[in-house]
Amino acid sequence: MLVAAKELRDSELGCKDYWEQVYEIELENFESNNDDTGEVWFGEHTERKMVDWLVDNIPTTASVVDLGTGNGHLLAELVEEGFTNLTGVDYSASSVALARAVNEGNSVNFFCRDILEPVASSAERFDVCVDKGTYDAISLSATSSKDRVRYKTGLLSLLSPSPSARFLLASVNWTVSELREFFTDIFEVEEVLPTKQFTFGGVTGQDVSIIAFRHLSPQTGS
C-alpha cells in the first residue's frame, strides 16, 4: 500500500483525458469480443469483498450508486445478487458507453456526471454510495487538495441524509487511518473490511483499505 502524505503526487491517473482513452480502448475491445469486459479495478477479490458486504448489510431494494463506475462490473455483480435499484455515474462518456454495453439486458441506469459537481435535487439521492478507485483518482489530480474537498460535498449531495445510508469506499492510496481522518467531519466508521496484510520495514499495512461509513450519530455531532 502506498503511504500517503497530506497530498499525493499528481499523475495521469487523475486526468479525465486519460480515462477517456482507457475506456475508448476497452469499449472497442468489448465490441470485438463480448467476453472482454475490461479491467476490474483493484481486482476481483476486492470487488467481491465489497459486494459481499453489501449483500450482508444492505436490502436488495436499496438505491445504490457506483461513483466512477468504469465498466459497470461491480453493478453487474449486484444484479446477480438480486439488487434492483442500481445506478452508475462516471465523468467519462466512453466509460458510460462501455458500462451500458456490458450491462445490456440488466436494469441498471448509467449517467455521465462529474461527482465533483453537487446535485441540487433531493430526488437524486441514494441509500448507498460505493466508490472503488474514484477517490484515489481524484487524489492524483493536479488540483487534488481542492478536488478532495469538492468530492465530499458532491458525495453528500448524492447520499440520503437517512441514518441508514452508507458509504462504502475502497482505496489503495490511503490508509484506513488517513481515510477515517479525512471523512471524520461527516462520517463515522461502521466497519473496516479485512483485507490482505503485508509487513515491510517493520511496518504492517494492507494492500487495500475498504471502509463502510455511516452518517455521524447525533451523539457525535451530526
Side-chain angles (χ1 to χ4, degrees):
M1 168 155 225
L2 299 178
V3 177
K6 289 185 178 180
E7 297 296 337
L8 303 178
R9 182 177 299 175
D10 61 280
S11 158
E12 64 179 0
L13 297 178
C15 300
K16 181 179 180 180
D17 287 346
Y18 172 83
W19 294 110
E20 285 286 7
Q21 293 173 14
V22 166
Y23 289 116
E24 283 175 5
I25 293 171
E26 291 198 353
L27 180 58
E28 291 175 1
N29 292 340
F30 179 74
E31 290 172 343
S32 299
N33 176 12
N34 287 171
D35 291 329
D36 184 356
T37 58
E39 184 169 352
V40 177
W41 293 102
F42 298 178
E44 293 185 6
H45 178 74
T46 295
E47 182 177 85
R48 189 69 242 173
K49 277 191 168 292
M50 298 178 78
V51 169
D52 287 346
W53 188 91
L54 292 167
V55 169
D56 291 341
N57 293 275
I58 304 298
T60 55
T61 55
S63 57
V64 180
V65 62
D66 184 18
L67 308 177
T69 195
N71 60 5
H73 191 273
L74 186 147
L75 295 178
E77 292 295 301
L78 290 178
V79 169
E80 291 295 318
E81 297 291 347
F83 282 78
T84 58
N85 192 350
L86 302 172
T87 300
V89 297
D90 203 296
Y91 69 176
S92 164
S94 51
S95 158
V96 172
L98 173 63
R100 286 173 175 163
V102 169
N103 283 271
E104 185 176 3
N106 290 339
S107 296
V108 183
N109 298 309
F110 292 101
F111 301 101
C112 194
R113 172 177 293 163
D114 187 344
I115 63 172
L116 298 185
E117 300 297 332
V119 175
S121 173
S122 61
E124 296 184 77
R125 295 201 169 190
F126 297 86
D127 300 319
V128 182
C129 291
V130 179
D131 181 335
K132 180 170 61 68
T134 297
Y135 177 67
D136 277 13
I138 289 169
S139 300
L140 295 170
S141 72
T143 54
S144 63
S145 59
K146 176 180 67 176
D147 290 346
R148 290 195 301 120
V149 174
R150 293 176 64 201
Y151 175 92
K152 282 201 290 190
T153 302
L155 172 62
L156 284 178
S157 76
L158 285 168
L159 190 64
S160 165
S162 167
S164 64
R166 294 294 183 267
F167 170 45
L168 183 61
L169 172 65
S171 170
V172 297
N173 286 335
W174 301 98
T175 65
V176 167
S177 60
E178 288 167 338
L179 294 171
R180 188 195 304 264
E181 180 180 1
F182 182 71
F183 290 101
T184 190
D185 58 327
I186 57 175
F187 295 126
E188 58 188 354
V189 173
E190 177 174 3
E191 184 177 354
V192 176
L193 279 63
T195 57
K196 295 178 183 178
Q197 293 187 330
F198 67 90
T199 300
F200 180 78
V203 177
T204 299
Q206 295 172 288
D207 59 350
V208 59
S209 303
I210 310 176
I211 307 179
F213 289 99
R214 62 188 174 200
H215 288 298
L216 287 169
S217 65
Q219 291 82 4
T220 53
S222 77

